[in-house]
Amino acid sequence: MEQPFLTIAQATKFELIIKKSRFICALQRVETEEEAQAFIKTVQTANRKATHNCFAYLVGDHDQVQRESDNGEPSGTAGIPILESLQLAKLHNVVAVVTRYFGGIKLGAGGLIRAYSNVTTKAVHQAGIVQRVKQLRLQITVSYRQHDALVYYLKEQHLTLAGEEYGVNVTTNVFVNEGDATNIMTNLQNRFNDQLIIKKAGSHFHEVPYQP
């Protein structure tokens, strides 16, 4: 079974202070490696006085591109923990840059790994996670007399309305998951005694909140 495509719901920043060092994780969605590199450069430019700007990113539906950098921290103590935090959340198409302002107290290798991992994980939680699902748009044509009953039924079934068109009859658009389309169409016709005209009107990707 194919794994769901997950990414962050929104860009965000999260800060932790650990033994006087500031760790600031900036998260951003990206579609290409060029976008990831541009975001990293933007964060580095905004934090020129920082001790380190470490990063990791995953790009592609199957994470075809994966990069990480310790940016001067001891090898394996920053970039990899950031990357593994993104992987643990099963995210795709996301870049994380963790900026560190050194506070004068050394953390040791274990402390650094925990710090970079924790701030990234907390940033992911703050950003939220969405799942990308492929959905069909159904056009449901119904008489004005039955329109209110249709809308009530759709909301009862937790189906997302996507606009309506008014003419001789009412055409209500609704998004449904591709795998559920046949059953939903059958249930609609049964519920309304085959008095609906239902057409498939193309598909698109839709994002829904995800709770692991």
Side-chain angles (χ1 to χ4, degrees):
M1 185 177 177
E2 188 176 350
Q3 292 295 313
F5 184 96
L6 307 179
T7 191
I8 57 172
Q10 61 185 353
T12 195
K13 285 184 181 179
F14 189 89
E15 179 175 339
L16 281 179
I17 297 177
I18 301 173
K19 294 185 177 179
K20 298 184 179 181
S21 279
R22 294 174 63 205
F23 292 86
I24 308 162
C25 180
L27 285 179
Q28 176 76 32
R29 289 173 62 164
V30 292
E31 296 294 330
T32 65
E33 185 169 16
E34 289 73 21
E35 288 182 9
Q37 291 286 355
F39 179 73
I40 293 165
K41 188 172 182 179
T42 298
V43 176
Q44 289 173 335
T45 300
N47 294 276
R48 288 192 183 93
K49 295 183 180 180
T51 316
H52 306 280
N53 285 291
C54 309
F55 66 80
Y57 57 83
L58 301 158
V59 178
D61 288 0
H62 302 285
D63 302 332
Q64 296 92 322
V65 180
Q66 301 184 30
R67 301 282 186 271
E68 51 83 14
S69 170
D70 295 312
N71 192 233
E73 291 281 33
S75 180
T77 62
I80 290 177
I82 298 170
L83 182 63
E84 289 180 343
S85 293
L86 300 179
Q87 291 171 330
L88 188 63
K90 300 179 181 179
L91 298 178
H92 305 280
N93 286 2
V94 64
V95 55
V97 184
V98 179
T99 298
R100 182 190 182 191
Y101 287 90
F102 182 55
I105 301 173
K106 292 184 177 181
L107 301 182
L112 287 174
I113 290 171
R114 287 191 294 274
Y116 281 101
S117 177
N118 288 344
V119 73
T120 305
T121 298
K122 289 181 181 297
V124 169
H125 288 164
Q126 178 170 281
I129 299 176
V130 291
Q131 178 179 349
R132 189 180 72 182
V133 294
K134 195 171 185 180
Q135 294 194 317
L136 283 173
R137 181 164 62 91
L138 299 181
Q139 290 184 328
I140 308 167
T141 301
V142 64
S143 67
Y144 281 88
R145 181 172 54 84
Q146 291 190 305
H147 172 252
D148 288 347
L150 173 65
V151 171
Y152 180 82
Y153 176 80
L154 294 175
K155 290 182 177 179
E156 193 176 50
Q157 298 301 310
H158 305 292
L159 297 175
T160 304
L161 273 66
E164 294 187 310
E165 300 155 21
Y166 300 92
V168 176
N169 294 301
V170 184
T171 298
T172 300
N173 296 280
V174 64
F175 288 118
V176 302
N177 292 348
E178 276 197 336
D180 301 331
T182 299
N183 284 339
I184 289 172
M185 292 170 71
T186 299
N187 291 338
L188 276 165
Q189 292 292 18
N190 290 339
R191 170 65 176 78
F192 289 90
N193 301 314
D194 293 319
Q195 295 179 24
L196 306 177
I197 298 173
I198 306 176
K199 295 180 180 178
K200 295 180 179 179
S203 61
H204 81 141
F205 284 108
H206 186 66
E207 293 179 353
V208 296
Y210 178 81
Q211 295 293 335

